[in-house]
Amino acid sequence: MAKGQKPVNLALQGGGAHGAFTWGALDFLLEDGRLRIAGVSGTSAGAMNAVALADGYTRAGPDGARAALDEFWRSMSASASHTPLQRTPMDHVTGNWGLENNPFYHFMNALTGVASPYQLNPLNINPLRDLVEESVDFEMVRQCTAFELYISATNVETGRVKVFPREHLTVDMVMASACLPHIYQAVEIDGVPYWDGGYMGNPALFPLYGKTGTDDIVVIQINPVERKGTPRTAQEIQNRMNEISFNASLLKELRAIDFVDRLIRQGKLTVDHYRPVKVHLVENEDTLKPMGASSKMNVEWAFLTRLRDVGRETAAAWLDSCFDRIGEESTVDLRTMFQGIGAEHQG
């Protein structure tokens, strides 16, 4: 570890094209060099960022990781440049990044509401799998020893989270982590069907505990936790349901971290057996929240680079304000997040 660097774990959320925000955050952190990545846990789009990161890092360190992430998202955009899922001319004029004005978007939503992917796509053709396999060298990923790497998926039969470690990772495990069941057939691994990891671990934090030499976890969050007002339309209701369900597992783990930390501070648990986890959060709800769920399917290059730039700016502002506290304490007030209690009331 270079002098002055601080080790951290990274927890990368899923969220479709909004994962380009995470790309930007990673790009800045790799370029900046003040942090050393000790472990990564990723789900769905976060899993894709994670394996591209590991592939590039194994080849050529931080610069290689930055190049691999850039190439992955370029390939993602290029692969969808001729699909019907594009913004309308009016969206371009008004600066709307969502696809809710595209009739094909609503047609696909309606179709997947009445027919399963087993009916609509019996041959299980998945261009996304092909893109990931072409963009990422999984042999390089499995050889990555610079940091630990964990990918999460949901076991369809048990409803439990399944964590795949770096040394066994395959493209199918990444696709399992990103398998939305109304769009894709379940991904079977060793005879077990898996769906998107977001249902039970978005991302899973527990694999990082005590495994990487640091207790600092930086969550790069792209799914809004709070959204004011009551959803009224069918689309708004479905979107909010998805946000709640895809944040539930993460919030549960953060609540457990806060609970253990309070017991340690109260002397009810000893640091001989329990270590306080220091939590940090890189997020920009002011920018991401207004974009809406349909924009998660927009992989237009101008949109992806916009998200990348926002991710870079957000990570830069966060690191400048929080660097001195990393390794010392959490920079997120979890009690305020969960209980509405201000930091001045913490004991």
Side-chain angles (χ1 to χ4, degrees):
M1 183 168 62
K3 185 177 180 180
Q5 275 190 326
K6 293 186 177 183
V8 297
N9 297 310
L10 300 178
L12 313 181
Q13 274 201 327
H18 290 191
F21 172 87
T22 301
W23 163 33
L26 293 172
D27 188 67
F28 173 80
L29 296 178
L30 290 162
E31 178 186 48
D32 180 82
R34 279 178 283 176
L35 300 181
R36 178 181 67 83
I37 301 172
V40 180
S41 178
T43 294
S44 199
M48 295 180 188
N49 275 318
V51 293
L53 169 73
D55 177 12
Y57 208 105
T58 304
R59 294 174 184 276
D63 289 341
R66 295 181 65 203
L69 285 161
D70 182 274
E71 180 60 31
F72 172 78
W73 285 98
R74 285 181 185 274
S75 298
M76 179 73 75
S77 180
S79 69
S81 60
H82 301 296
T83 71
L85 280 174
Q86 307 288 336
R87 290 189 296 157
T88 67
M90 184 57 67
D91 291 325
H92 283 268
V93 172
T94 60
N96 174 38
W97 293 109
L99 303 177
E100 63 273 7
N101 295 320
N102 182 316
F104 186 75
Y105 172 77
H106 293 285
F107 170 74
M108 290 302 299
N109 271 344
L111 191 60
T112 56
V114 296
S116 81
Y118 296 89
Q119 297 167 305
L120 297 174
N121 185 13
L123 298 180
N124 200 20
I125 298 171
N126 188 344
L128 180 58
R129 184 191 187 282
D130 297 336
L131 183 148
V132 173
E133 191 169 34
E134 292 170 3
S135 302
V136 177
D137 185 338
F138 279 85
E139 187 59 39
M140 289 289 105
V141 174
R142 290 187 289 269
Q143 292 177 15
C144 180
T145 57
F147 48 83
E148 299 297 329
L149 175 59
Y150 305 97
I151 301 302
S152 300
T154 301
N155 185 317
V156 177
E157 296 174 335
T158 66
R160 297 171 183 161
V161 64
K162 171 67 175 180
V163 177
F164 300 106
R166 167 195 51 80
E167 56 267 25
H168 301 300
L169 275 180
T170 65
V171 64
D172 284 333
M173 293 172 184
V174 174
M175 297 316 300
S177 183
C179 180
L180 293 170
H182 62 287
I183 298 177
Y184 304 112
Q185 295 184 23
V187 178
E188 290 198 4
I189 299 172
D190 297 329
V192 178
Y194 293 96
W195 283 341
D196 196 294
Y199 295 111
M200 295 306 296
N202 193 22
L205 305 184
F206 69 87
L208 300 169
Y209 302 161
K211 300 288 183 62
T212 65
T214 179
D215 299 312
D216 286 77
I217 297 180
V218 180
V219 180
I220 302 180
Q221 182 179 340
I222 55 179
N223 292 301
V225 172
E226 183 176 353
R227 190 181 289 277
K228 297 293 186 182
T230 304
R232 300 290 183 180
T233 68
Q235 192 66 49
E236 288 174 346
I237 292 170
Q238 185 62 49
N239 291 344
R240 187 56 185 149
M241 288 172 59
N242 288 338
E243 285 177 346
I244 291 171
S245 63
F246 272 54
N247 275 322
S249 57
L250 175 62
L251 293 177
K252 184 177 179 180
E253 284 202 78
L254 292 177
R255 187 175 286 109
I257 289 172
D258 176 57
F259 179 66
V260 171
D261 182 60
R262 282 187 285 125
L263 292 179
I264 291 173
R265 286 188 286 109
Q266 293 167 5
K268 297 177 180 178
L269 294 176
T270 68
V271 293
D272 293 334
H273 297 92
Y274 297 90
R275 297 175 62 89
V277 176
K278 294 174 280 290
V279 180
H280 316 279
L281 185 64
V282 177
E283 58 84 20
N284 193 327
E285 288 196 355
D286 289 343
T287 298
L288 294 179
K289 189 185 296 183
M291 289 180 176
S294 69
S295 66
K296 292 181 178 181
M297 299 187 69
N298 180 4
V299 291
E300 179 185 344
W301 183 240
F303 182 49
L304 297 181
T305 53
R306 163 66 176 151
L307 289 170
R308 177 203 61 194
D309 293 345
V310 171
R312 282 184 54 87
E313 294 163 6
T314 303
W318 167 78
L319 190 57
D320 284 343
S321 65
C322 297
F323 179 74
D324 290 342
R325 297 166 63 191
I326 295 171
E328 303 296 330
E329 61 181 358
S330 291
T331 56
V332 176
D333 187 348
L334 295 179
R335 292 196 69 186
T336 296
M337 179 185 293
F338 295 121
Q339 300 177 16
I341 301 175
E344 66 272 18
H345 298 301
Q346 293 190 35

